[in-house]
Every structure is written in C-alpha cells, then in structure tokens.
Amino acid sequence: MKKTVIVSSPGKLIIGGEHAVVYGRRALVTSIGMRLYMQLTVDENSSNQTDKHLLNVLLHDTNQRYTIDLSESSGSHPIEIQAVIYAYNHFKSLLSDRNTLNIEVRSEIPIGAGLGSSAAFSVCLVGCFYLLSHETLNAEEINQLAYKIECLFHGTPSGIDNTISTFGQSLLYSRTLKKHLNFHLSNLAIIDTGIPKSTKRMVSLVRSFVESNPNDGEKILNEIETCVDTMVEHPEEINQLFQENQRLLKSLGVSTPEIDQIIEILLKNKISTKITGAGGGGCLIALTTTFTKEEVLELLKDNPIKSIQFVECGVEGLREEQTLFS
C-alpha cells in the first residue's frame, strides 16, 4: 500500500534592505512565482524481511538519485540528503520502520542565485513529513523546523528565506519584527548576471567597511532602512527608491563595474534596477514597466548575462498540490 503527499513553496527576492538587515535594520522581502515541488511516497511494504529501511531520493532538475539505508546512522551524505535524514528523524516516531520512503523534487528556482532555493527545499521537506503525519499543514510549526534545516545549509541564517517560503506574500523583516504585508509588484524582471557571487565574502566586505568607517557606515545603513520603509508606505515611489537603494549598496562596495554598466544601460531606458541579495554578482531586479523580455535582452545584447525571468511577487506560500508536474 502506498501513501503520497505533494507540496510546493515559493522562492524569494529581497526588494530592499540587503546588508542593512544584518545590522538590525528592516528589509522588505517578497515571495516569487518560482516554486519548488516535492512528493513524498511511503511504500508500506509488509513483505520487506530485511533490516534495511530505504530512502530513495530523486532530484529531477539535476537528475541525481540517492538510495540511503536509514537504519544506518553513519555515512557521509550530500547536504540535501543530510536535510532529508534530519527531517525524517524528527518525524520517525510517527512512521513505521518497515516503510520505504521515496522523495521526488522538481524546482523552478535556480540554485545559488540568492532566490531561496534551499529554503523552499527545507520548507517542502518539513511540509511533506508534516502533512503525512498530521494530514494538515501548520505553518508556524513547519517554519520553526524548516529554519533548523536551513541551518544545515547556511550555518546561522536570518530566517527570512524559510519564513517567506512558508507564509508567502511579502514581509517586513528585522531581528525584532516580522510583519506580513500585502505588497505586490508587476512586471518585475530577475536578471541573472552570471557573475559568481559569494555571500560570505560580501558580508565580510561590508563589515570591514562599517567597522573602518563607523559614521558613514551607520548613515548608509539608516538610509537603506529609510528606503525600505518608504517602499512600504509609498509604493508609487518605487522607481526612485530602487535607484537610491542601489546607490547606497554601491557605497557599501557590493556592486561591480559589470553590474554598474547593466544598471546604467537600463536606467537610460527608464528601467530602475538594483542588486538583490548580497551583490558582487548574482541577480539584479528591474522594474521593467511595459518592456518585454525580448526588449530587455536587446538592450543588454552587449552585456553577457545568464538569463532574464519575469516573476509575479507576493504569491502563496507552502501549499498542498495534486501533482508534481504542473
């Protein structure tokens, strides 16, 4: 007998407040219409007479397959499998040790682009086991456990990514604030520069700047927070606020000549663009108004970029699905 559950959760974008949020300032984060889908099937195999308790994992996007014996506590596994084992151990008292577990994952969220792929994986993983065990989804409880799994991926993350992936919509976030917002943007483009980024290196660079220039550093961080608050209070000013937030990020040293050139070209065509995430590479976000993807690509034809995707913002969070492939 088999029992199957399927869930999905969205990726995320930081609209404003990058780096400043590390220093306790507010950031504006939104969920995006790029989702990760996960299916968990429990095969209640009563004919299994071996001591093995098998876990099969299939990652469709990378065509990676893993088979793990859960009865063996030792062994070196990829981080995704460590995450699965962590979630399983949390829920195993509710599962028979004679079952074979099959997990399949399909994702629309690019890995390593700062769009919350690991958080969506963590949230879906907990969501699958929770739904299987409780036949419902409790967002608060799922979010708490998903954060612990996110720590396997990132050490001590802020908690922004898993929270937005669980609850969806948009969020005004700081260490002391978690305010859900009805914030939406239309025709927002994610431009993947294709430039390799290191979040750790960019965070370290900003810390060095702030410690070496405490007065200027504090002033810039406060002005970034002011941008974020104004984005929420006066969304009609979003174009000017994108430009101001980008100017401040450049002052912190997280832009690059390649990024500056892309932003300058688009601004000449009245497209406001800024870094999203750590900077130094990775992705930019652009308010493309009436421009199509093809028109933006034409504007940037002399700039080597990896991809452009238009996304919906402020979408639904973790939810149950009927199929792994929509």
Side-chain angles (χ1 to χ4, degrees):
M1 178 181 173
K2 294 184 179 181
K3 184 173 183 181
T4 297
V5 295
I6 306 170
V7 300
S8 75
S9 64
K12 72 92 176 60
L13 279 177
I14 298 179
I15 300 295
E18 295 90 344
H19 290 288
V21 72
V22 177
Y23 297 86
R25 273 66 169 192
R26 291 177 288 279
L28 176 58
V29 193
T30 189
S31 54
I32 56 174
M34 301 164 72
R35 305 185 73 86
L36 182 141
Y37 297 79
M38 185 177 294
Q39 175 178 290
L40 170 61
T41 300
V42 178
D43 190 354
E44 298 173 350
N45 185 5
S46 59
S47 63
N48 183 4
Q49 299 300 316
T50 71
D51 293 330
K52 290 187 176 182
H53 182 199
L54 297 180
L55 163 68
N56 300 305
V57 179
L58 170 58
L59 307 177
H60 282 280
D61 304 284
T62 56
N63 200 30
Q64 291 173 293
R65 298 172 183 267
Y66 302 94
T67 297
I68 308 298
D69 183 359
L70 291 168
S71 60
E72 296 179 358
S73 58
S74 61
S76 175
H77 303 297
I79 190 68
E80 295 89 351
I81 303 305
Q82 292 179 42
V84 174
I85 293 171
Y86 186 98
Y88 164 76
N89 284 333
H90 183 86
F91 290 97
K92 68 179 181 181
S93 63
L94 303 172
L95 301 167
S96 168
D97 59 10
R98 298 177 66 86
N99 294 340
T100 295
L101 303 178
N102 300 293
I103 291 177
E104 294 187 46
V105 181
R106 179 181 70 83
S107 183
E108 301 165 349
I109 309 167
I111 296 170
L115 301 179
S117 60
S118 67
F121 182 91
S122 302
V123 169
C124 282
L125 186 57
V126 178
C128 274
F129 278 106
Y130 199 97
L131 187 59
L132 188 71
S133 306
H134 298 83
E135 298 184 348
T136 187
L137 294 171
N138 182 309
E140 286 289 351
E141 292 183 12
I142 289 168
N143 189 43
Q144 289 175 20
L145 182 55
Y147 174 76
K148 294 179 180 179
I149 294 176
E150 267 284 85
C151 290
L152 297 176
F153 286 96
H154 299 297
T156 53
S158 65
I160 289 177
D161 288 16
N162 53 276
T163 300
I164 202 74
S165 192
T166 301
F167 292 96
Q169 304 307 316
S170 299
L171 193 67
L172 192 61
Y173 188 96
S174 74
R175 290 173 186 162
T176 58
L177 175 71
K178 188 173 70 176
K179 183 178 180 182
H180 295 273
L181 302 171
N182 185 25
F183 179 91
H184 297 275
L185 289 174
S186 58
N187 230 37
L188 186 73
I190 301 174
I191 302 171
D192 189 341
T193 65
I195 303 168
K197 70 176 183 67
S198 168
T199 299
K200 185 176 181 180
R201 185 169 68 85
M202 289 296 105
V203 169
S204 176
L205 186 151
V206 172
R207 186 170 298 282
S208 294
F209 176 87
V210 172
E211 290 175 353
S212 302
N213 307 274
N215 292 334
D216 288 345
E218 287 296 309
K219 182 173 182 290
I220 291 170
L221 296 173
N222 288 337
E223 288 178 358
I224 288 175
E225 185 174 55
T226 299
C227 277
V228 168
D229 290 342
T230 310
M231 286 178 186
V232 174
E233 294 166 7
H234 299 284
E236 71 278 4
E237 298 177 19
I238 193 73
N239 276 284
Q240 294 78 10
L241 294 166
F242 259 44
Q243 296 169 35
E244 176 65 8
N245 197 168
Q246 176 59 27
R247 183 188 68 80
L248 294 165
L249 289 169
K250 184 177 179 179
S251 298
L252 288 176
V254 299
S255 194
T256 69
E258 295 86 354
I259 288 173
D260 292 342
Q261 187 177 34
I262 292 170
I263 289 172
E264 184 179 348
I265 289 169
L266 294 177
L267 189 56
K268 285 179 180 177
N269 291 274
K270 299 183 179 179
I271 300 174
S272 298
T273 309
K274 66 177 288 292
I275 288 166
T276 181
C283 290
L284 310 176
I285 49 176
L287 298 167
T288 55
T289 56
T290 60
F291 283 81
T292 65
K293 179 178 178 178
E294 290 71 26
E295 288 170 335
V296 177
L297 284 169
E298 177 63 22
L299 292 175
L300 298 175
K301 63 183 179 182
D302 296 326
N303 300 79
I305 59 172
K306 188 176 180 181
S307 66
I308 296 179
Q309 287 187 276
F310 282 58
V311 293
E312 181 185 359
C313 296
V315 302
E316 186 178 358
L318 176 68
R319 69 189 185 203
E320 188 174 1
E321 300 283 356
Q322 297 303 310
T323 177
L324 186 66
F325 295 94
S326 56

